[in-house]
Amino acid sequence: MPFPGGIDANANATLVFSLAAAVIYAFSLGMPPRLSRSAARALAVAMLAVLVVQQGGPWLLVAALGVSAVGDALLSRDGEKAFLGGTASFLAAHVLYVVLFLRAGGGLGLLLAEPWRAAIVLAMAVSVLAMVFALRRRVGPALRLPIGVHAAALLAMGIAALTLNSGVIGGIVLLMLSDGLHAAEKFLLSALSPHRVWMRYAVWALYYVGQLAITLGFLLG
């Protein structure tokens, strides 16, 4: 187990609880939205926030994970209002992550001092801009501004993460991949596309593992 003690130690038990909720939600992806399904998705990340509290981790990380859990609950429901509410929640989480990473990192000067970091920033920027332009042709006017703001916050989060020297960078990359797949599945694919099934599982797996990597990166790194 990653933390001292056996599986019955508080930290390890909390982590197992989070993993179990993530697996339960994965098995319920093909089912209609309902309260138990939403609870499993929200608990998977909420228990990571509890883990950070138990380990005395950064309060900004607790807040980012907590707000993400709210977004998870909303995105597990159908409808445009739930989607916009979930998008707003994740926007807030991205801003919290940006502040956290900039406070914990080595400064934006690292992006210029180490070429590989600048190369990743360029790749992130190109990917995010390409997705935004693709989405603008497929969504209504009411969603264009929220999607643009969300994309800007996502890119800022990625750039801020690159000031760190830990597994947090890998976690952010997974979150960005999950976000891109989710947008493609929701807006770019046809309703009858056979790719929707595997993409939903991939979105959840990338997202949860990304949040887990960020959490453990701070607590164990």
Side-chain angles (χ1 to χ4, degrees), residues 18 44-46 48-49 51-52 61 64-69 72 90 93-94 97 101 157 168 170-172 174-175 178 204-218:
S18 171
V45 174
L48 294 179
L51 176 61
V52 177
L61 180 56
L65 290 168
V67 174
S68 294
D72 286 327
F90 281 112
H94 294 343
Y97 273 137
F101 297 159
M157 183 177 67
V168 173
I172 288 299
L174 293 178
L175 286 189
S178 173
W204 175 244
L206 290 169
Y207 167 78
Y208 178 75
V209 175
Q211 294 280 34
L212 180 61
I214 294 168
T215 301
L216 296 182
F218 272 96

PDB file of all heavy atoms in Angstrom, residues 18 44-46 48-49 51-52 61 64-69 72 90 93-94 97 101 157 168 170-172 174-175 178 204-218:
ATOM      1  N   SER A  18     -11.999   5.046  -2.729  1.00  0.00           N
ATOM      2  CA  SER A  18     -12.034   5.856  -3.948  1.00  0.00           C
ATOM      3  C   SER A  18     -11.939   4.979  -5.193  1.00  0.00           C
ATOM      4  O   SER A  18     -12.703   5.153  -6.155  1.00  0.00           O
ATOM      5  CB  SER A  18     -10.880   6.864  -3.923  1.00  0.00           C
ATOM      6  OG  SER A  18     -10.745   7.526  -5.162  1.00  0.00           O
ATOM      7  N   ALA A  44     -15.779   8.932  -6.036  1.00  0.00           N
ATOM      8  CA  ALA A  44     -14.457   8.505  -6.478  1.00  0.00           C
ATOM      9  C   ALA A  44     -13.430   9.614  -6.287  1.00  0.00           C
ATOM     10  O   ALA A  44     -12.311   9.377  -5.803  1.00  0.00           O
ATOM     11  CB  ALA A  44     -14.506   8.060  -7.945  1.00  0.00           C
ATOM     12  N   VAL A  45     -13.789  10.844  -6.644  1.00  0.00           N
ATOM     13  CA  VAL A  45     -12.859  11.972  -6.513  1.00  0.00           C
ATOM     14  C   VAL A  45     -12.992  12.640  -5.149  1.00  0.00           C
ATOM     15  O   VAL A  45     -12.008  13.125  -4.591  1.00  0.00           O
ATOM     16  CB  VAL A  45     -13.087  12.976  -7.653  1.00  0.00           C
ATOM     17  CG1 VAL A  45     -12.245  14.238  -7.463  1.00  0.00           C
ATOM     18  CG2 VAL A  45     -12.738  12.323  -8.991  1.00  0.00           C
ATOM     19  N   ALA A  46     -14.200  12.664  -4.586  1.00  0.00           N
ATOM     20  CA  ALA A  46     -14.378  13.258  -3.258  1.00  0.00           C
ATOM     21  C   ALA A  46     -13.525  12.542  -2.217  1.00  0.00           C
ATOM     22  O   ALA A  46     -12.971  13.175  -1.305  1.00  0.00           O
ATOM     23  CB  ALA A  46     -15.851  13.208  -2.855  1.00  0.00           C
ATOM     24  N   LEU A  48     -10.677  11.220  -2.733  1.00  0.00           N
ATOM     25  CA  LEU A  48      -9.297  11.697  -2.903  1.00  0.00           C
ATOM     26  C   LEU A  48      -9.099  12.994  -2.127  1.00  0.00           C
ATOM     27  O   LEU A  48      -8.022  13.219  -1.540  1.00  0.00           O
ATOM     28  CB  LEU A  48      -8.987  11.913  -4.385  1.00  0.00           C
ATOM     29  CG  LEU A  48      -8.971  10.662  -5.276  1.00  0.00           C
ATOM     30  CD1 LEU A  48      -8.667  11.046  -6.723  1.00  0.00           C
ATOM     31  CD2 LEU A  48      -7.950   9.640  -4.776  1.00  0.00           C
ATOM     32  N   ALA A  49     -10.124  13.851  -2.113  1.00  0.00           N
ATOM     33  CA  ALA A  49     -10.048  15.079  -1.315  1.00  0.00           C
ATOM     34  C   ALA A  49      -9.942  14.740   0.170  1.00  0.00           C
ATOM     35  O   ALA A  49      -9.167  15.365   0.911  1.00  0.00           O
ATOM     36  CB  ALA A  49     -11.273  15.956  -1.579  1.00  0.00           C
ATOM     37  N   LEU A  51      -8.636  12.046   1.384  1.00  0.00           N
ATOM     38  CA  LEU A  51      -7.288  11.520   1.557  1.00  0.00           C
ATOM     39  C   LEU A  51      -6.280  12.655   1.742  1.00  0.00           C
ATOM     40  O   LEU A  51      -5.384  12.562   2.595  1.00  0.00           O
ATOM     41  CB  LEU A  51      -6.906  10.673   0.339  1.00  0.00           C
ATOM     42  CG  LEU A  51      -5.484  10.105   0.290  1.00  0.00           C
ATOM     43  CD1 LEU A  51      -5.238   9.169   1.469  1.00  0.00           C
ATOM     44  CD2 LEU A  51      -5.241   9.383  -1.029  1.00  0.00           C
ATOM     45  N   VAL A  52      -6.417  13.714   0.962  1.00  0.00           N
ATOM     46  CA  VAL A  52      -5.503  14.848   1.085  1.00  0.00           C
ATOM     47  C   VAL A  52      -5.646  15.499   2.464  1.00  0.00           C
ATOM     48  O   VAL A  52      -4.653  15.881   3.093  1.00  0.00           O
ATOM     49  CB  VAL A  52      -5.761  15.880  -0.027  1.00  0.00           C
ATOM     50  CG1 VAL A  52      -4.853  17.105   0.144  1.00  0.00           C
ATOM     51  CG2 VAL A  52      -5.519  15.254  -1.399  1.00  0.00           C
ATOM     52  N   LEU A  61      -5.452  21.819  -3.104  1.00  0.00           N
ATOM     53  CA  LEU A  61      -5.700  20.512  -3.720  1.00  0.00           C
ATOM     54  C   LEU A  61      -7.018  19.941  -3.229  1.00  0.00           C
ATOM     55  O   LEU A  61      -7.788  19.366  -4.005  1.00  0.00           O
ATOM     56  CB  LEU A  61      -4.544  19.561  -3.409  1.00  0.00           C
ATOM     57  CG  LEU A  61      -4.640  18.143  -3.980  1.00  0.00           C
ATOM     58  CD1 LEU A  61      -4.819  18.171  -5.496  1.00  0.00           C
ATOM     59  CD2 LEU A  61      -3.396  17.332  -3.603  1.00  0.00           C
ATOM     60  N   ALA A  64      -9.719  21.860  -5.073  1.00  0.00           N
ATOM     61  CA  ALA A  64      -9.815  21.487  -6.489  1.00  0.00           C
ATOM     62  C   ALA A  64     -10.491  20.131  -6.659  1.00  0.00           C
ATOM     63  O   ALA A  64     -11.338  19.957  -7.549  1.00  0.00           O
ATOM     64  CB  ALA A  64      -8.425  21.469  -7.109  1.00  0.00           C
ATOM     65  N   LEU A  65     -10.130  19.177  -5.815  1.00  0.00           N
ATOM     66  CA  LEU A  65     -10.749  17.856  -5.893  1.00  0.00           C
ATOM     67  C   LEU A  65     -12.222  17.914  -5.478  1.00  0.00           C
ATOM     68  O   LEU A  65     -13.075  17.247  -6.087  1.00  0.00           O
ATOM     69  CB  LEU A  65      -9.990  16.872  -5.005  1.00  0.00           C
ATOM     70  CG  LEU A  65      -8.586  16.489  -5.489  1.00  0.00           C
ATOM     71  CD1 LEU A  65      -7.828  15.752  -4.391  1.00  0.00           C
ATOM     72  CD2 LEU A  65      -8.651  15.634  -6.749  1.00  0.00           C
ATOM     73  N   GLY A  66     -12.526  18.713  -4.454  1.00  0.00           N
ATOM     74  CA  GLY A  66     -13.911  18.831  -4.012  1.00  0.00           C
ATOM     75  C   GLY A  66     -14.806  19.441  -5.079  1.00  0.00           C
ATOM     76  O   GLY A  66     -15.911  18.950  -5.353  1.00  0.00           O
ATOM     77  N   VAL A  67     -14.322  20.509  -5.716  1.00  0.00           N
ATOM     78  CA  VAL A  67     -15.093  21.144  -6.791  1.00  0.00           C
ATOM     79  C   VAL A  67     -15.216  20.208  -7.987  1.00  0.00           C
ATOM     80  O   VAL A  67     -16.260  20.158  -8.655  1.00  0.00           O
ATOM     81  CB  VAL A  67     -14.440  22.482  -7.186  1.00  0.00           C
ATOM     82  CG1 VAL A  67     -15.138  23.078  -8.404  1.00  0.00           C
ATOM     83  CG2 VAL A  67     -14.496  23.465  -6.028  1.00  0.00           C
ATOM     84  N   SER A  68     -14.155  19.440  -8.250  1.00  0.00           N
ATOM     85  CA  SER A  68     -14.210  18.458  -9.347  1.00  0.00           C
ATOM     86  C   SER A  68     -15.284  17.416  -9.076  1.00  0.00           C
ATOM     87  O   SER A  68     -15.989  16.982  -9.999  1.00  0.00           O
ATOM     88  CB  SER A  68     -12.853  17.769  -9.506  1.00  0.00           C
ATOM     89  OG  SER A  68     -11.861  18.662  -9.941  1.00  0.00           O
ATOM     90  N   ALA A  69     -15.420  16.999  -7.817  1.00  0.00           N
ATOM     91  CA  ALA A  69     -16.440  16.015  -7.460  1.00  0.00           C
ATOM     92  C   ALA A  69     -17.841  16.555  -7.718  1.00  0.00           C
ATOM     93  O   ALA A  69     -18.735  15.825  -8.163  1.00  0.00           O
ATOM     94  CB  ALA A  69     -16.285  15.607  -5.991  1.00  0.00           C
ATOM     95  N   ASP A  72     -18.339  16.307 -11.336  1.00  0.00           N
ATOM     96  CA  ASP A  72     -18.610  14.917 -11.708  1.00  0.00           C
ATOM     97  C   ASP A  72     -20.078  14.568 -11.500  1.00  0.00           C
ATOM     98  O   ASP A  72     -20.693  13.902 -12.344  1.00  0.00           O
ATOM     99  CB  ASP A  72     -17.741  13.975 -10.863  1.00  0.00           C
ATOM    100  CG  ASP A  72     -16.291  13.994 -11.301  1.00  0.00           C
ATOM    101  OD1 ASP A  72     -16.039  14.159 -12.501  1.00  0.00           O
ATOM    102  OD2 ASP A  72     -15.414  13.847 -10.442  1.00  0.00           O
ATOM    103  N   PHE A  90     -15.786  22.525 -13.242  1.00  0.00           N
ATOM    104  CA  PHE A  90     -14.441  22.162 -13.662  1.00  0.00           C
ATOM    105  C   PHE A  90     -13.603  23.392 -14.005  1.00  0.00           C
ATOM    106  O   PHE A  90     -12.385  23.381 -13.838  1.00  0.00           O
ATOM    107  CB  PHE A  90     -14.486  21.184 -14.829  1.00  0.00           C
ATOM    108  CG  PHE A  90     -14.772  19.784 -14.395  1.00  0.00           C
ATOM    109  CD1 PHE A  90     -15.968  19.163 -14.725  1.00  0.00           C
ATOM    110  CD2 PHE A  90     -13.861  19.086 -13.624  1.00  0.00           C
ATOM    111  CE1 PHE A  90     -16.242  17.874 -14.292  1.00  0.00           C
ATOM    112  CE2 PHE A  90     -14.111  17.792 -13.195  1.00  0.00           C
ATOM    113  CZ  PHE A  90     -15.305  17.186 -13.533  1.00  0.00           C
ATOM    114  N   ALA A  93     -12.290  24.350 -10.754  1.00  0.00           N
ATOM    115  CA  ALA A  93     -11.239  23.411 -10.361  1.00  0.00           C
ATOM    116  C   ALA A  93      -9.942  23.699 -11.104  1.00  0.00           C
ATOM    117  O   ALA A  93      -8.846  23.649 -10.526  1.00  0.00           O
ATOM    118  CB  ALA A  93     -11.691  21.977 -10.622  1.00  0.00           C
ATOM    119  N   HIS A  94     -10.043  24.026 -12.394  1.00  0.00           N
ATOM    120  CA  HIS A  94      -8.854  24.345 -13.184  1.00  0.00           C
ATOM    121  C   HIS A  94      -8.142  25.577 -12.620  1.00  0.00           C
ATOM    122  O   HIS A  94      -6.912  25.608 -12.540  1.00  0.00           O
ATOM    123  CB  HIS A  94      -9.227  24.598 -14.647  1.00  0.00           C
ATOM    124  CG  HIS A  94      -9.755  23.391 -15.362  1.00  0.00           C
ATOM    125  ND1 HIS A  94      -9.582  22.105 -14.883  1.00  0.00           N
ATOM    126  CD2 HIS A  94     -10.448  23.268 -16.529  1.00  0.00           C
ATOM    127  CE1 HIS A  94     -10.146  21.253 -15.722  1.00  0.00           C
ATOM    128  NE2 HIS A  94     -10.670  21.925 -16.725  1.00  0.00           N
ATOM    129  N   TYR A  97      -6.326  24.629  -9.540  1.00  0.00           N
ATOM    130  CA  TYR A  97      -5.114  23.884  -9.888  1.00  0.00           C
ATOM    131  C   TYR A  97      -4.015  24.825 -10.384  1.00  0.00           C
ATOM    132  O   TYR A  97      -2.836  24.636 -10.069  1.00  0.00           O
ATOM    133  CB  TYR A  97      -5.412  22.828 -10.950  1.00  0.00           C
ATOM    134  CG  TYR A  97      -5.872  21.505 -10.398  1.00  0.00           C
ATOM    135  CD1 TYR A  97      -6.934  20.806 -10.982  1.00  0.00           C
ATOM    136  CD2 TYR A  97      -5.225  20.916  -9.315  1.00  0.00           C
ATOM    137  CE1 TYR A  97      -7.346  19.581 -10.490  1.00  0.00           C
ATOM    138  CE2 TYR A  97      -5.627  19.688  -8.812  1.00  0.00           C
ATOM    139  CZ  TYR A  97      -6.696  19.029  -9.403  1.00  0.00           C
ATOM    140  OH  TYR A  97      -7.086  17.810  -8.898  1.00  0.00           O
ATOM    141  N   PHE A 101      -0.430  24.905  -8.622  1.00  0.00           N
ATOM    142  CA  PHE A 101       0.785  24.519  -9.344  1.00  0.00           C
ATOM    143  C   PHE A 101       1.804  25.662  -9.377  1.00  0.00           C
ATOM    144  O   PHE A 101       3.003  25.435  -9.249  1.00  0.00           O
ATOM    145  CB  PHE A 101       0.439  24.093 -10.767  1.00  0.00           C
ATOM    146  CG  PHE A 101      -0.434  22.874 -10.850  1.00  0.00           C
ATOM    147  CD1 PHE A 101      -1.183  22.604 -11.986  1.00  0.00           C
ATOM    148  CD2 PHE A 101      -0.535  21.989  -9.778  1.00  0.00           C
ATOM    149  CE1 PHE A 101      -1.990  21.480 -12.066  1.00  0.00           C
ATOM    150  CE2 PHE A 101      -1.346  20.864  -9.846  1.00  0.00           C
ATOM    151  CZ  PHE A 101      -2.074  20.605 -10.991  1.00  0.00           C
ATOM    152  N   MET A 157      -3.879  25.499 -16.979  1.00  0.00           N
ATOM    153  CA  MET A 157      -3.580  24.451 -16.004  1.00  0.00           C
ATOM    154  C   MET A 157      -2.424  23.580 -16.478  1.00  0.00           C
ATOM    155  O   MET A 157      -1.529  23.229 -15.702  1.00  0.00           O
ATOM    156  CB  MET A 157      -4.828  23.590 -15.772  1.00  0.00           C
ATOM    157  CG  MET A 157      -4.656  22.499 -14.726  1.00  0.00           C
ATOM    158  SD  MET A 157      -6.197  21.581 -14.431  1.00  0.00           S
ATOM    159  CE  MET A 157      -6.406  20.750 -16.016  1.00  0.00           C
ATOM    160  N   VAL A 168       2.772  14.852 -11.225  1.00  0.00           N
ATOM    161  CA  VAL A 168       1.616  15.712 -11.447  1.00  0.00           C
ATOM    162  C   VAL A 168       1.480  16.061 -12.927  1.00  0.00           C
ATOM    163  O   VAL A 168       0.374  16.159 -13.457  1.00  0.00           O
ATOM    164  CB  VAL A 168       1.728  16.993 -10.593  1.00  0.00           C
ATOM    165  CG1 VAL A 168       0.624  17.987 -10.947  1.00  0.00           C
ATOM    166  CG2 VAL A 168       1.674  16.651  -9.109  1.00  0.00           C
ATOM    167  N   GLY A 170       2.180  14.218 -15.517  1.00  0.00           N
ATOM    168  CA  GLY A 170       1.502  13.106 -16.190  1.00  0.00           C
ATOM    169  C   GLY A 170       0.019  13.105 -15.909  1.00  0.00           C
ATOM    170  O   GLY A 170      -0.801  12.824 -16.797  1.00  0.00           O
ATOM    171  N   GLY A 171      -0.355  13.428 -14.671  1.00  0.00           N
ATOM    172  CA  GLY A 171      -1.771  13.477 -14.313  1.00  0.00           C
ATOM    173  C   GLY A 171      -2.519  14.535 -15.103  1.00  0.00           C
ATOM    174  O   GLY A 171      -3.634  14.310 -15.571  1.00  0.00           O
ATOM    175  N   ILE A 172      -1.889  15.704 -15.278  1.00  0.00           N
ATOM    176  CA  ILE A 172      -2.531  16.782 -16.033  1.00  0.00           C
ATOM    177  C   ILE A 172      -2.678  16.401 -17.496  1.00  0.00           C
ATOM    178  O   ILE A 172      -3.705  16.692 -18.134  1.00  0.00           O
ATOM    179  CB  ILE A 172      -1.727  18.081 -15.884  1.00  0.00           C
ATOM    180  CG1 ILE A 172      -1.910  18.642 -14.475  1.00  0.00           C
ATOM    181  CG2 ILE A 172      -2.151  19.108 -16.922  1.00  0.00           C
ATOM    182  CD1 ILE A 172      -3.342  19.003 -14.129  1.00  0.00           C
ATOM    183  N   LEU A 174      -3.139  13.456 -18.662  1.00  0.00           N
ATOM    184  CA  LEU A 174      -4.279  12.525 -18.723  1.00  0.00           C
ATOM    185  C   LEU A 174      -5.604  13.275 -18.620  1.00  0.00           C
ATOM    186  O   LEU A 174      -6.566  12.947 -19.337  1.00  0.00           O
ATOM    187  CB  LEU A 174      -4.172  11.496 -17.600  1.00  0.00           C
ATOM    188  CG  LEU A 174      -3.016  10.501 -17.698  1.00  0.00           C
ATOM    189  CD1 LEU A 174      -3.018   9.564 -16.491  1.00  0.00           C
ATOM    190  CD2 LEU A 174      -3.097   9.692 -18.978  1.00  0.00           C
ATOM    191  N   LEU A 175      -5.675  14.285 -17.749  1.00  0.00           N
ATOM    192  CA  LEU A 175      -6.901  15.077 -17.633  1.00  0.00           C
ATOM    193  C   LEU A 175      -7.220  15.795 -18.940  1.00  0.00           C
ATOM    194  O   LEU A 175      -8.380  15.863 -19.361  1.00  0.00           O
ATOM    195  CB  LEU A 175      -6.776  16.098 -16.507  1.00  0.00           C
ATOM    196  CG  LEU A 175      -6.845  15.605 -15.062  1.00  0.00           C
ATOM    197  CD1 LEU A 175      -6.915  16.796 -14.105  1.00  0.00           C
ATOM    198  CD2 LEU A 175      -8.030  14.690 -14.831  1.00  0.00           C
ATOM    199  N   SER A 178      -8.514  13.302 -21.448  1.00  0.00           N
ATOM    200  CA  SER A 178      -9.889  12.951 -21.089  1.00  0.00           C
ATOM    201  C   SER A 178     -10.853  14.039 -21.523  1.00  0.00           C
ATOM    202  O   SER A 178     -11.924  13.763 -22.089  1.00  0.00           O
ATOM    203  CB  SER A 178      -9.988  12.736 -19.574  1.00  0.00           C
ATOM    204  OG  SER A 178     -11.324  12.553 -19.169  1.00  0.00           O
ATOM    205  N   TRP A 204     -13.512   8.299 -18.725  1.00  0.00           N
ATOM    206  CA  TRP A 204     -13.539   8.126 -17.278  1.00  0.00           C
ATOM    207  C   TRP A 204     -12.213   7.594 -16.751  1.00  0.00           C
ATOM    208  O   TRP A 204     -11.703   8.080 -15.740  1.00  0.00           O
ATOM    209  CB  TRP A 204     -14.672   7.182 -16.867  1.00  0.00           C
ATOM    210  CG  TRP A 204     -14.658   6.870 -15.398  1.00  0.00           C
ATOM    211  CD1 TRP A 204     -14.460   5.660 -14.816  1.00  0.00           C
ATOM    212  CD2 TRP A 204     -14.841   7.799 -14.322  1.00  0.00           C
ATOM    213  NE1 TRP A 204     -14.500   5.757 -13.450  1.00  0.00           N
ATOM    214  CE2 TRP A 204     -14.738   7.068 -13.115  1.00  0.00           C
ATOM    215  CE3 TRP A 204     -15.082   9.168 -14.258  1.00  0.00           C
ATOM    216  CZ2 TRP A 204     -14.869   7.670 -11.864  1.00  0.00           C
ATOM    217  CZ3 TRP A 204     -15.207   9.776 -13.005  1.00  0.00           C
ATOM    218  CH2 TRP A 204     -15.104   9.029 -11.834  1.00  0.00           C
ATOM    219  N   ALA A 205     -11.631   6.619 -17.428  1.00  0.00           N
ATOM    220  CA  ALA A 205     -10.369   6.037 -16.966  1.00  0.00           C
ATOM    221  C   ALA A 205      -9.260   7.088 -16.964  1.00  0.00           C
ATOM    222  O   ALA A 205      -8.508   7.216 -15.976  1.00  0.00           O
ATOM    223  CB  ALA A 205      -9.977   4.851 -17.843  1.00  0.00           C
ATOM    224  N   LEU A 206      -9.135   7.848 -18.039  1.00  0.00           N
ATOM    225  CA  LEU A 206      -8.099   8.881 -18.119  1.00  0.00           C
ATOM    226  C   LEU A 206      -8.322   9.950 -17.058  1.00  0.00           C
ATOM    227  O   LEU A 206      -7.362  10.410 -16.407  1.00  0.00           O
ATOM    228  CB  LEU A 206      -8.100   9.522 -19.510  1.00  0.00           C
ATOM    229  CG  LEU A 206      -7.609   8.643 -20.663  1.00  0.00           C
ATOM    230  CD1 LEU A 206      -7.925   9.308 -21.998  1.00  0.00           C
ATOM    231  CD2 LEU A 206      -6.112   8.401 -20.547  1.00  0.00           C
ATOM    232  N   TYR A 207      -9.565  10.345 -16.873  1.00  0.00           N
ATOM    233  CA  TYR A 207      -9.880  11.394 -15.899  1.00  0.00           C
ATOM    234  C   TYR A 207      -9.547  10.940 -14.481  1.00  0.00           C
ATOM    235  O   TYR A 207      -8.857  11.643 -13.733  1.00  0.00           O
ATOM    236  CB  TYR A 207     -11.361  11.771 -16.008  1.00  0.00           C
ATOM    237  CG  TYR A 207     -11.843  12.610 -14.853  1.00  0.00           C
ATOM    238  CD1 TYR A 207     -11.552  13.972 -14.796  1.00  0.00           C
ATOM    239  CD2 TYR A 207     -12.575  12.041 -13.813  1.00  0.00           C
ATOM    240  CE1 TYR A 207     -11.985  14.739 -13.721  1.00  0.00           C
ATOM    241  CE2 TYR A 207     -13.010  12.812 -12.746  1.00  0.00           C
ATOM    242  CZ  TYR A 207     -12.716  14.162 -12.702  1.00  0.00           C
ATOM    243  OH  TYR A 207     -13.137  14.923 -11.641  1.00  0.00           O
ATOM    244  N   TYR A 208     -10.043   9.770 -14.107  1.00  0.00           N
ATOM    245  CA  TYR A 208      -9.827   9.324 -12.723  1.00  0.00           C
ATOM    246  C   TYR A 208      -8.347   9.069 -12.445  1.00  0.00           C
ATOM    247  O   TYR A 208      -7.826   9.495 -11.408  1.00  0.00           O
ATOM    248  CB  TYR A 208     -10.640   8.062 -12.406  1.00  0.00           C
ATOM    249  CG  TYR A 208     -10.361   7.586 -10.998  1.00  0.00           C
ATOM    250  CD1 TYR A 208     -10.899   8.253  -9.907  1.00  0.00           C
ATOM    251  CD2 TYR A 208      -9.513   6.502 -10.766  1.00  0.00           C
ATOM    252  CE1 TYR A 208     -10.608   7.852  -8.609  1.00  0.00           C
ATOM    253  CE2 TYR A 208      -9.225   6.090  -9.468  1.00  0.00           C
ATOM    254  CZ  TYR A 208      -9.771   6.777  -8.400  1.00  0.00           C
ATOM    255  OH  TYR A 208      -9.476   6.385  -7.118  1.00  0.00           O
ATOM    256  N   VAL A 209      -7.669   8.390 -13.347  1.00  0.00           N
ATOM    257  CA  VAL A 209      -6.238   8.124 -13.143  1.00  0.00           C
ATOM    258  C   VAL A 209      -5.463   9.439 -13.103  1.00  0.00           C
ATOM    259  O   VAL A 209      -4.494   9.578 -12.337  1.00  0.00           O
ATOM    260  CB  VAL A 209      -5.694   7.182 -14.228  1.00  0.00           C
ATOM    261  CG1 VAL A 209      -4.186   7.016 -14.095  1.00  0.00           C
ATOM    262  CG2 VAL A 209      -6.369   5.821 -14.139  1.00  0.00           C
ATOM    263  N   GLY A 210      -5.896  10.421 -13.886  1.00  0.00           N
ATOM    264  CA  GLY A 210      -5.255  11.724 -13.852  1.00  0.00           C
ATOM    265  C   GLY A 210      -5.401  12.394 -12.496  1.00  0.00           C
ATOM    266  O   GLY A 210      -4.426  12.904 -11.924  1.00  0.00           O
ATOM    267  N   GLN A 211      -6.620  12.395 -11.953  1.00  0.00           N
ATOM    268  CA  GLN A 211      -6.846  12.976 -10.624  1.00  0.00           C
ATOM    269  C   GLN A 211      -6.059  12.206  -9.556  1.00  0.00           C
ATOM    270  O   GLN A 211      -5.502  12.808  -8.630  1.00  0.00           O
ATOM    271  CB  GLN A 211      -8.343  12.962 -10.285  1.00  0.00           C
ATOM    272  CG  GLN A 211      -9.212  13.840 -11.147  1.00  0.00           C
ATOM    273  CD  GLN A 211      -9.169  15.313 -10.745  1.00  0.00           C
ATOM    274  OE1 GLN A 211      -8.148  15.822 -10.299  1.00  0.00           O
ATOM    275  NE2 GLN A 211     -10.281  15.999 -10.922  1.00  0.00           N
ATOM    276  N   LEU A 212      -6.016  10.894  -9.696  1.00  0.00           N
ATOM    277  CA  LEU A 212      -5.274  10.073  -8.743  1.00  0.00           C
ATOM    278  C   LEU A 212      -3.770  10.388  -8.806  1.00  0.00           C
ATOM    279  O   LEU A 212      -3.107  10.511  -7.767  1.00  0.00           O
ATOM    280  CB  LEU A 212      -5.514   8.599  -9.050  1.00  0.00           C
ATOM    281  CG  LEU A 212      -4.804   7.578  -8.157  1.00  0.00           C
ATOM    282  CD1 LEU A 212      -5.247   7.724  -6.710  1.00  0.00           C
ATOM    283  CD2 LEU A 212      -5.063   6.160  -8.662  1.00  0.00           C
ATOM    284  N   ALA A 213      -3.242  10.546 -10.036  1.00  0.00           N
ATOM    285  CA  ALA A 213      -1.815  10.847 -10.199  1.00  0.00           C
ATOM    286  C   ALA A 213      -1.466  12.202  -9.606  1.00  0.00           C
ATOM    287  O   ALA A 213      -0.407  12.368  -8.980  1.00  0.00           O
ATOM    288  CB  ALA A 213      -1.445  10.796 -11.677  1.00  0.00           C
ATOM    289  N   ILE A 214      -2.332  13.181  -9.789  1.00  0.00           N
ATOM    290  CA  ILE A 214      -2.094  14.500  -9.204  1.00  0.00           C
ATOM    291  C   ILE A 214      -2.082  14.404  -7.684  1.00  0.00           C
ATOM    292  O   ILE A 214      -1.196  14.957  -7.002  1.00  0.00           O
ATOM    293  CB  ILE A 214      -3.163  15.490  -9.675  1.00  0.00           C
ATOM    294  CG1 ILE A 214      -3.034  15.739 -11.175  1.00  0.00           C
ATOM    295  CG2 ILE A 214      -3.049  16.820  -8.901  1.00  0.00           C
ATOM    296  CD1 ILE A 214      -4.207  16.479 -11.775  1.00  0.00           C
ATOM    297  N   THR A 215      -3.062  13.710  -7.127  1.00  0.00           N
ATOM    298  CA  THR A 215      -3.170  13.566  -5.674  1.00  0.00           C
ATOM    299  C   THR A 215      -1.940  12.880  -5.088  1.00  0.00           C
ATOM    300  O   THR A 215      -1.304  13.386  -4.151  1.00  0.00           O
ATOM    301  CB  THR A 215      -4.429  12.767  -5.315  1.00  0.00           C
ATOM    302  OG1 THR A 215      -5.582  13.429  -5.830  1.00  0.00           O
ATOM    303  CG2 THR A 215      -4.562  12.618  -3.801  1.00  0.00           C
ATOM    304  N   LEU A 216      -1.581  11.730  -5.649  1.00  0.00           N
ATOM    305  CA  LEU A 216      -0.426  10.993  -5.128  1.00  0.00           C
ATOM    306  C   LEU A 216       0.874  11.722  -5.419  1.00  0.00           C
ATOM    307  O   LEU A 216       1.847  11.601  -4.651  1.00  0.00           O
ATOM    308  CB  LEU A 216      -0.401   9.580  -5.727  1.00  0.00           C
ATOM    309  CG  LEU A 216      -1.584   8.677  -5.357  1.00  0.00           C
ATOM    310  CD1 LEU A 216      -1.420   7.286  -5.971  1.00  0.00           C
ATOM    311  CD2 LEU A 216      -1.729   8.569  -3.827  1.00  0.00           C
ATOM    312  N   GLY A 217       0.916  12.479  -6.522  1.00  0.00           N
ATOM    313  CA  GLY A 217       2.106  13.254  -6.830  1.00  0.00           C
ATOM    314  C   GLY A 217       2.417  14.273  -5.737  1.00  0.00           C
ATOM    315  O   GLY A 217       3.591  14.472  -5.377  1.00  0.00           O
ATOM    316  N   PHE A 218       1.372  14.883  -5.190  1.00  0.00           N
ATOM    317  CA  PHE A 218       1.573  15.850  -4.107  1.00  0.00           C
ATOM    318  C   PHE A 218       1.817  15.152  -2.768  1.00  0.00           C
ATOM    319  O   PHE A 218       2.633  15.613  -1.963  1.00  0.00           O
ATOM    320  CB  PHE A 218       0.369  16.789  -3.997  1.00  0.00           C
ATOM    321  CG  PHE A 218       0.481  17.995  -4.872  1.00  0.00           C
ATOM    322  CD1 PHE A 218      -0.121  18.022  -6.120  1.00  0.00           C
ATOM    323  CD2 PHE A 218       1.197  19.116  -4.448  1.00  0.00           C
ATOM    324  CE1 PHE A 218      -0.004  19.152  -6.926  1.00  0.00           C
ATOM    325  CE2 PHE A 218       1.306  20.237  -5.251  1.00  0.00           C
ATOM    326  CZ  PHE A 218       0.708  20.254  -6.503  1.00  0.00           C
TER     327      PHE A 218
END
